[in-house]
């Protein structure tokens, strides 16, 4: 075959370049396939971007429904070095006067001189052995069969153990015992992880307690913890912690230092409308971003322009419906229980004729100060209707039906029909695009195979033509030579 192709076109003038041109003229269908595939990819990517924007919109709408958005508080302290405050969503806006007379502390026990540790580093062996037992305030040991045992926490000490090893073994049981140990100047310092007036005692085999410096502990080495004492608006409060969460509902009071006599710390709790405004602004920004992108994908451009450029999803009915319903929801009315606040515009969100939303922060803050419940009901509200029915026994009954009527609820429901991973419109479209692209790829492959077959046929056909023309020329030359011989 190679030798035949080598002289392709030698007689007929139809060579490989001519055949390439003929094949090229017939390959226009491939260009159509490729263009269609490019268009499908562009549409799929556009929907992917829309999904990302809608997902963000869904999240920001959800944030509007969180308690912290409407019930967040700001706090102040006249002296945060003495008293700090954290306010939860269920705290009441108010002021409090706090005096701290005692901070809670933990019991701490420091060993006496450990004779075997003298003239040694903390990593050298102490040549001690025995069982050392730490007994905490509850006198509780490790659980057995789900029940705490008494007798404390046993530490097995061997002759090879250094001071560092022994402290390490004590701390291995800290999670259970609540007693933590450290080394200070070759002595062991034991600290209870809990605060308040609590006991720590020790026992052991042989002379191990004495060897570790915990026998006949000097008074100054045994510091019993104390309970925190404070007054809140004149009411005395005591707790075994410096982080008090149960004295005032919704407040965490952090005691940092003792206050001077008759110089209380004043703390204040106020409604944090800035957090609410920020959440509303974030929603408005994301709504505008989504609508702008959707509009770009539906843009028909200038049909009269020669090089008109349109959006990737021009005429897509699903996207047109999404755009229309999002705009409609922004202007819907909701019965909030307060006729002054029955739509978004009444609380500061206006929408122009192009669908762009704008937030008036001052107007929103006024509404929040006046009736925060009504503002939230515009966004999130579930109504219940009762209709008569018949139960399984045929007896008359009442059927209760709940319906979400808030703007944010409806918009999240709409968005979910598009972005749901399994049943969403975008997921369905994406699967359809993938199938179409796959089918086009198969069609391109088959078409290219047919073109290659046609090329082979052209090559074979024109090679035969060249061969026939060569043979005809050869025969003509032979006949001419014969005529010349006869004439001579």
């Amino acid at each position: 075959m190679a030798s035949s192709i080598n002289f392709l076109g030698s007689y007929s003038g139809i060579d490989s370049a001519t055949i390439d041109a003929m094949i090229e003229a017939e390959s226009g269908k491939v260009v159509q396939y490729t263009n269609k595939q490019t268009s499908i990819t562009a549409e799929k990517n556009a929907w992917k971007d829309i999904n990302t924007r809608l997902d963000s919109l869904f999240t920001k709408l959800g944030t509007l429904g969180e308690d912290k958005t409407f019930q967040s508080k700001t706090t102040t302290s006249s002296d945060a070095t003495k008293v700090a405050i954290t306010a939860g969503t269920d705290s009441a806006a108010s002021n409090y006067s706090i005096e701290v007379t005692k901070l809670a502390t933990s019991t701490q026990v420091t060993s006496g001189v450990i004779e075997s540790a003298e003239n040694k580093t903390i990593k050298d062996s102490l040549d001690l052995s025995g069982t050392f037992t730490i007994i905490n305030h509850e006198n509780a040991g490790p659980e057995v069969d789900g029940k705490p045992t008494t007798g404390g926490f046993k530490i097995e000490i061997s002759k090879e153990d250094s001071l560092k090893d022994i402290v390490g073994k004590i701390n291995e049981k800290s999670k259970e015992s609540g007693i933590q140990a450290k080394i200070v100047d070759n002595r062991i310092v034991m600290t209870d992880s809990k605060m308040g007036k609590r006991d720590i005692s020790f026992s052991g085999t042989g002379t191990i307690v004495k060897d570790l410096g915990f026998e006949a502990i000097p008074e100054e080495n045994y510091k019993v913890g104390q309970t925190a004492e404070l007054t809140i608006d004149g009411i005395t409060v005591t707790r075994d912690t410096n982080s008090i969460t149960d004295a005032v509902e919704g407040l965490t009071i952090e005691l940092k230092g003792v206050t001077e006599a008759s110089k209380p710390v004043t703390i204040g709790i106020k409604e944090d409308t800035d957090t609410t405004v920020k959440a509303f602004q974030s929603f408005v920004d994301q709504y505008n971003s989504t609508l702008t992108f959707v509009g770009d994908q539906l843009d028909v451009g200038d049909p009269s322009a020669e090089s008109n450029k349109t959006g990737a999803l021009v005429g897509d009915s699903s996207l047109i419906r999404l755009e229309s319903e999002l705009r409609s929801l922004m202007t819907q009315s909701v019965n909030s229980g307060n006729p002054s606040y029955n739509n978004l515009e009444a609380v500061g969100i206006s929408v122009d004729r192009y669908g762009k939303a704008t937030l008036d922060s001052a107007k929103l803050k006024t509404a929040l100060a006046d009736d925060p419940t009504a503002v939230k009901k515009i966004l999130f509200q579930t109504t219940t209707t009762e209709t008569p029915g018949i139960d399984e026994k045929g007896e008359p009954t009442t059927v209760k039906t709940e319906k979400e009527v808030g703007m944010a609820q409806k918009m999240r429901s709409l968005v979910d029909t598009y972005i749901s991973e399994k049943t969403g419109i975008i997921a369905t479209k994406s699967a359809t695009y993938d199938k179409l692209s796959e089918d086009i790829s198969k069609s391109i492959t088959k078409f290219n195979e047919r073109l290659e077959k046609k090329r082979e046929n052209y090559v074979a056909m024109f090679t035969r033509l060249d061969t026939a023309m060569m043979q005809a020329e050869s025969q003509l030359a032979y006949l001419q030579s014969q005529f010349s011989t006869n004439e001579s």
Side-chain angles (χ1 to χ4, degrees):
M1 175 64 75
S3 60
S4 299
I5 295 176
N6 285 337
F7 63 88
L8 179 66
S10 300
Y11 290 88
S12 65
I14 302 175
D15 56 10
S16 295
T18 305
I19 293 176
D20 287 342
M22 295 171 66
I23 293 298
E24 180 67 25
E26 297 183 41
S27 63
K29 189 69 173 178
V30 174
V31 175
Q32 295 178 20
Y33 281 141
T34 303
N35 289 341
K36 180 62 176 175
Q37 199 167 44
T38 300
S39 176
I40 288 173
T41 300
E43 290 181 27
K44 179 182 176 181
N45 288 337
W47 274 112
K48 184 177 179 180
D49 287 341
I50 290 170
N51 189 88
T52 299
R53 286 168 169 78
L54 288 176
D55 185 69
S56 181
L57 181 62
F58 186 88
T59 299
K60 293 183 186 302
L61 284 165
T63 299
L64 290 175
E66 295 176 357
D67 286 342
K68 64 181 181 181
T69 300
F70 280 87
Q71 299 175 23
S72 182
K73 305 294 191 301
T74 58
T75 61
T76 57
S77 172
S78 61
D79 188 350
T81 64
K82 298 292 192 295
V83 180
I85 195 81
T86 302
T89 57
D90 53 350
S91 61
S94 187
N95 295 318
Y96 300 89
S97 177
I98 298 178
E99 291 187 69
V100 183
T101 52
K102 286 184 181 180
L103 291 177
T105 60
S106 297
T107 297
Q108 188 176 88
V109 183
T110 303
S111 72
V113 176
I114 303 175
E115 294 181 1
S116 57
E118 291 182 337
N119 301 318
K120 292 182 180 181
T121 71
I122 62 173
K123 295 182 180 179
D124 293 331
S125 169
L126 298 184
D127 197 30
L128 300 176
S129 64
T131 300
F132 179 63
T133 304
I134 303 172
I135 304 169
N136 64 16
H137 186 76
E138 289 84 11
N139 193 30
E143 287 190 354
V144 177
D145 296 329
K147 297 180 179 180
T149 60
T150 58
F153 300 82
K154 291 178 170 48
I155 311 296
E156 297 297 334
I157 299 173
S158 61
K159 289 189 176 184
E160 297 79 15
D161 287 339
S162 65
L163 183 58
K164 183 177 180 180
D165 294 331
I166 293 171
V167 168
K169 288 182 176 182
I170 294 172
N171 286 333
E172 284 178 1
K173 295 183 178 292
S174 290
K175 187 174 181 180
E176 298 172 286
S177 69
I179 308 299
Q180 297 174 324
K182 60 185 176 182
I183 301 170
V184 178
D185 192 26
N186 276 340
R187 299 187 183 199
I188 300 175
V189 180
M190 302 274 201
T191 305
D192 196 332
S193 60
K194 295 181 180 180
M195 294 181 174
K197 189 176 180 179
R198 295 167 57 81
D199 301 321
I200 302 176
S201 58
F202 311 96
S203 65
T205 59
T207 61
I208 195 67
V209 176
K210 179 182 178 182
D211 293 338
L212 291 177
F214 287 103
E215 186 177 74
I217 302 170
E219 185 176 345
E220 64 270 16
N221 285 11
Y222 197 113
K223 298 176 181 178
V224 179
Q226 67 180 15
T227 297
E229 293 183 5
L230 67 154
T231 61
I232 304 175
D233 287 347
I235 299 173
T236 301
V237 176
T238 59
R239 294 289 188 276
D240 287 333
T241 177
N242 290 318
S243 181
I244 302 171
T245 60
D246 59 353
V248 180
E249 184 181 17
L251 296 188
T252 297
I253 303 171
E254 298 285 351
L255 306 183
K256 304 288 187 180
V258 175
T259 59
E260 296 181 41
S262 302
K263 290 186 178 181
V265 174
T266 300
I267 60 173
I269 299 92
K270 295 181 179 180
E271 299 291 343
D272 182 14
T273 55
D274 287 341
T275 295
T276 310
V277 171
K278 184 178 179 180
F280 269 81
Q281 186 64 64
S282 183
F283 155 66
V284 168
D285 291 343
Q286 187 58 42
Y287 168 82
N288 286 335
S289 173
T290 302
L291 261 290
T292 297
F293 187 79
V294 168
D296 290 343
Q297 304 316 303
L298 293 172
D299 188 12
V300 297
D302 182 3
S304 63
E306 184 176 343
S307 57
N308 181 42
K309 186 176 181 180
T310 65
L313 299 171
V314 170
D316 189 295
S317 60
S318 296
L319 191 57
I320 293 172
R321 184 172 67 255
L322 172 65
E323 180 184 49
S324 175
E325 292 185 5
L326 285 175
R327 288 185 177 185
S328 177
L329 285 171
M330 290 294 284
T331 57
Q332 76 161 18
S333 295
V334 180
N335 181 9
S336 68
N338 185 336
S340 297
Y341 306 113
N342 58 8
N343 55 42
L344 290 179
E345 185 174 10
V347 299
I349 298 179
S350 57
V351 180
D352 64 20
R353 63 192 185 93
Y354 301 105
K356 182 179 180 180
T358 304
L359 174 64
D360 184 336
S361 299
K363 191 173 183 179
L364 175 58
K365 286 185 176 181
T366 298
L368 290 171
D370 181 36
D371 193 343
T373 300
V375 176
K376 190 171 183 179
K377 280 188 175 182
I378 295 174
L379 303 171
F380 292 88
Q381 184 183 168
T382 301
T383 61
T384 302
T385 57
E386 297 183 354
T387 55
I390 303 296
D391 62 17
E392 296 177 353
K393 297 180 179 180
E395 298 292 330
T397 186
T398 300
V399 179
K400 294 183 178 181
T401 304
E402 291 187 343
K403 183 178 181 181
E404 295 181 337
V405 298
M407 185 285 294
Q409 292 167 308
K410 288 184 176 180
M411 188 171 286
R412 277 169 63 91
S413 179
L414 169 65
V415 170
D416 188 59
T417 63
Y418 281 81
I419 66 174
S420 177
E421 291 185 2
K422 294 184 178 180
T423 60
I425 291 173
I426 296 176
T428 301
K429 283 182 173 290
S430 181
T432 300
Y433 288 136
D434 288 341
K435 183 65 170 61
L436 288 173
S437 184
E438 181 182 354
D439 291 343
I440 291 175
S441 293
K442 290 179 180 179
S443 297
I444 290 174
T445 298
K446 290 180 179 179
F447 190 79
N448 285 332
E449 289 174 351
R450 289 198 297 270
L451 283 181
E452 186 57 32
K453 185 66 176 178
K454 183 168 286 189
R455 178 191 294 278
E456 292 174 359
N457 292 336
Y458 279 149
V459 170
M461 180 177 66
F462 290 120
T463 297
R464 290 195 298 271
L465 176 60
D466 279 319
T467 301
M469 292 178 70
M470 180 188 69
Q471 292 173 347
E473 183 180 51
S474 176
Q475 290 175 355
L476 179 60
Y478 173 75
L479 290 174
Q480 288 176 341
S481 67
Q482 291 299 313
F483 285 132
S484 298
T485 301
N486 289 339
E487 288 177 356
S488 62

